Amino acid sequence: MNAHAPIPTADAGCGVTIRQERGQRAVFCGLTGIVWLHRKIQDAFFLVVGSRTCAHLIQSAAGVMIFAEPRFATAIIDERDLAGLADMNEELDRVTRRLIERRPDIRLLFLVGSCPSEVIKLDLPRAAQRLSQSFAPDVRVLSYSGSGIETTFTQGEDACLAALVPELPRTAAEAAPSLLVVGALADVVEDQFARLFAEMGLEHVAFLPARRAGAMPAVGPNTRILLAQPFLADTARALEARGATRLPAPFPLGAEGTTAWLRAAADAFDVEPGRFADATAPGLRRAEQALAPYRALLGGRRVFFFPDSQLELPLARFLSREMGATLIEVGTPYLHRGHMAPELALLPAGTEVVEGQSLDAQMDRCRTARPDLTVCGLGLANPLEAEGLATKWSIELLFTPIQGYDQAGDLAELFARPLVRRTRLEV
Amino acid sequence: MQLTLWTYEGPPHIGAMRVATAMRGLHYVLHAPQGDTYADLLFTMIERRDARPPVTYTTFQARDLGADTAAIFQTAVSDAYARFRPEAMIVGASCTAELIQDDPGGLARALDLPIPVIPLELPAYQKKENWGASETFYRLVRALAGPKAEPAPRAGRRPLCNILGPTALGFRHRDDLVEIEKLLGALGIDVNVVAPWGASPADLGRLSAADFNVVLYPEIARAAAQHLQKTFGQPMVETVPIGVGATIRFVEEVAALANVDPAPVLAGAPSRLPWYSRSVDSTYLTGKRVFIFGDATHALAIARVAAAELGFKVVGLGTYTREFAREVRAEAALHGIEATITDDYLDVEAAIQAAGAELVLGTQMERHIAKRLGVPCAVISAPIHVQDFPARHSPKMGFEGANVLFDTLVHPLMMGLEEHLLGMFREDAEFHDGAAPSHLPRHGTAPSVPAAVEPAAPAIEIPLTAPPSDDAPAAWEASAEKELKKIPFFVRGKARANTERFARERALSRITVETLYDAKAHFGR
């Protein structure tokens, strides 16, 4: 689904080198997306069809959240299923029925494919169709793949949202142009953006995913989509297939990114420049004020990004342009040339972008460069700290509200905190 | 298929990682899809290790499926050998790679590396983490321990033993090892090899030089120790030294095997647990209903400590380790109960509720169940979160381990009793909602006491005008009510409830002073 044919090494045309690397990858699989997605869609349940490893992964990623009656679980394939002693489709139906009986509040059920279910070619889309019919009209059942062989970390959200797109209602042909903001955002951030668009005078603004299964937005040829997250390749393609038009923009990280992102929508809806300035001025002023103290801490710091979420390019752009940091290497698990074009155009000339990973080689480059700050996953963070490198663990950037004006200071603080901590500790 | 939210154990390759990460000079090449590297962070975050586990993953993706994955595996093995120069390697497949049927052992053998490369067969759809650790350790010992070393004659030298079982991500393995080495040292016994913890493949080659083996965690090291017993005739001690009694038995067994005198080690009062448990402050622990669940080693050992050393009543005992179900069932029978053998936390929750436990001793999961049920709890077994890999010395084994156990098992109860008092005597001046816990110092001004003391729990007062019904309590006569007030405040609520129950069962319409004392005589234990 998300495995893309390698594109030959190309210069993006703005002095940024993009290199591809293959080898061992230290990244999460797409199942991890469930951990934040289930909190966003409040009446959805995510049932992974996989192995004990999948259940163990989600448990490790979800931490203590697993006990608060979360809306996700794993149907563990066992040897009886594999040996053909049990009909796997019947087993899946049985497990799902038991689940729906226990959780009658569920309106939308996602069957989430894993590496084992993909490799044995269990037909989850068909199972979803079958179960949808048997639970209609109370529960809709959809499927997508969050397997490691096909998705990396945040691509799980992409696959999930892309599965929702064909189900979205169609807008009337004569409907007024509408704006659809795509990508799961923290509720507080979503509300801030909704207010900003309202102040600009945009009347028809919706968010995908919606907070409830029954309230998903409509889509059609009059829909303009604005991606709030950089990892939504398949979702954007599915929306475009339904006639929607994507508005190219950098991503709303930092003051500059947020303004440019909002401006893309304002321009598409012919918002008068004065009105745009009035709507954005207070946020911009607050963001500038919040960012100022962190410039002294982050300015001139040399930063190295390991690949993780596809947020690396916009984050690097924010750190370099707004905080004055120097970029050593920006790793990303996957780079969508089209969606990233506005970001690439803003990166300083000479930035080394590496798509994919060969873990040991990349760690060698990192050790040689001895960056002031290394952004990486939790499997690498403590080992690099033990080698004397300051690190910022990257997963936090997915769970913390970081988009928009009023989170710009928090975003800078996330990077500044490990550096501040090192100056404080005397042991 | 099994519907699972929480799993007590990871897949078997996590067990193999625990063995590899515990050792030095060993590298594990795991044929696994992208994403399985999540397991690294169990070691770097939960155990706070300062280096990556010695594991190379092939992290294949969908585009690699087909003939490519075997080549990727071979490249990973060669690269890992070239980079890390290990003394030996283990190779195997995770659950997905098991399905694509590359043969890690054969592929690695074809590379003809100049070191031992040991293939692991870990059936991911049948077995789990602890089995994986045991199997990996057994395979390593089988491949690397030999040939038989002729031990020097016993006369004129100190006895020599191996300590088997401690791994990475083990519950208190680090500190247990310190205690056991201290005990053996005090007995005059030398340690030949500790494994897997800190051992190199070369160290495993020296295993046969020891006189006997000490198995600390049977679910991890029993298979390897049995192999050593069969191959080299090394006897093993399998008594798990958790608790005072078990530690004494352990010392005696080890001393007998080593032909040394245990008396000096057992002399005096090597643990504070016995005196603490006998001190009158502990009297209220008598008969406390305790539910115990965990891995087999800890569940079995803690059940004995709870019953024989703290005077609790074991009302529930269980394990998620199916391999040791027989032992746990036998132990449960000694307590007159049926064991809970399950890996479904909902079954455990139901069993805890059914048993009416006053204290739960279990894993991280039971901690959350207990929190939900409002029952005190202590953690005695993996799986565990980061707080149970403490910075301080905190063993479970040996005499110091017994001290730690006493504190760990009693502390939540102290807290429980205090909370109970706060709930029951909300109306008393010293026990109200705003009162700080007694073990916390007050800062500055005392917390404000509600000016007008509200009558407690009006909800349970039955209005006098209520229509009479079968279970309406009898009315208290004023004199009886006054007598009730003389009963110490911490048992007053119970006395009231018992008296009303007594009156109800006998259909008495009024409660007199006589009724109060009749009930007391009836219910008194």
Side-chain angles (χ1 to χ4, degrees), chain B residues 92-149:
Chain B
S94 82
C95 51
T96 304
E98 188 181 329
L99 296 172
I100 61 175
Q101 298 187 326
D102 289 332
D103 168 21
L107 290 168
R109 203 159 41 242
L111 292 170
D112 203 20
L113 295 178
I115 53 165
V117 178
I118 298 143
L120 299 174
E121 293 287 340
L122 304 176
Y125 297 91
Q126 299 166 28
K127 303 289 189 180
K128 287 181 278 187
E129 178 177 331
N130 279 331
W131 187 90
S134 169
E135 173 71 6
T136 304
F137 187 46
Y138 164 71
R139 290 284 154 195
L140 280 165
V141 167
R142 221 177 93 131
L144 301 171
K148 169 83 176 137

Side-chain angles (χ1 to χ4, degrees), chain A residues 3-4 6 22-29 47 49 51-53 55-57 59-60 63-64 66-67 69-70 72-82 88 91-92 94-95 98-99 102 115-116 119-120 122 147-152 359-361 363-364 367 378-380 382-383 386 395, chain B residues 1-14 33-42 44-45 48-53 55-65 68 72 83-84 94-96 98-100 124-129 343-346 364-365 368-369 372 383 385:
Chain A
H4 300 269
R22 282 186 74 169
Q24 187 184 189
R25 294 164 69 110
V27 287
F28 279 123
C29 66
L47 179 64
V49 183
S51 63
R52 182 167 303 281
T53 311
H56 197 232
L57 159 88
Q59 177 171 318
S60 310
V64 295
I66 200 122
F67 307 101
E69 281 294 328
F72 54 82
T74 310
I76 295 186
I77 298 169
D78 57 32
E79 54 178 337
R80 292 178 64 253
D81 301 310
L82 293 176
M88 231 184 286
E91 283 288 289
L92 184 59
R94 179 182 62 79
V95 164
R98 194 176 156 210
L99 182 70
R102 247 172 43 184
C115 298
V119 167
I120 60 174
L122 185 60
S147 72
I149 56 178
E150 292 179 323
T151 58
T152 305
L359 178 62
D360 287 315
M363 287 185 82
D364 285 349
R367 288 176 180 126
L378 288 173
L380 303 181
N382 269 337
I395 306 157
Chain B
M1 273 181 201
Q2 185 200 357
L3 185 61
T4 313
L5 188 63
W6 166 269
T7 154
Y8 282 99
E9 289 182 80
H13 72 259
I14 300 287
Q34 165 176 276
D36 278 6
T37 51
Y38 82 86
D40 281 1
L41 64 89
L42 304 173
T44 61
M45 296 305 294
R48 290 187 222 249
R49 290 206 165 236
D50 60 1
R52 291 190 58 232
V55 182
T56 295
Y57 305 80
T58 54
T59 58
F60 55 83
Q61 292 173 268
R63 63 184 176 206
D64 304 318
L65 290 177
D68 225 349
I72 289 175
R83 173 175 286 268
F84 300 105
S94 82
C95 51
T96 304
E98 188 181 329
L99 296 172
I100 61 175
Y125 297 91
Q126 299 166 28
K127 303 289 189 180
K128 287 181 278 187
E129 178 177 331
D343 56 3
D344 186 339
Y345 78 95
L346 291 173
Q364 187 57 38
M365 188 62 216
H368 288 271
I369 292 174
R372 187 150 57 204
H385 273 331

Side-chain angles (χ1 to χ4, degrees), chain A residues 3-23:
Chain A
H4 300 269
I7 298 169
T9 304
D11 191 299
C14 44
V16 173
T17 18
I18 301 174
R19 205 160 53 75
Q20 287 186 322
E21 199 170 45
R22 282 186 74 169

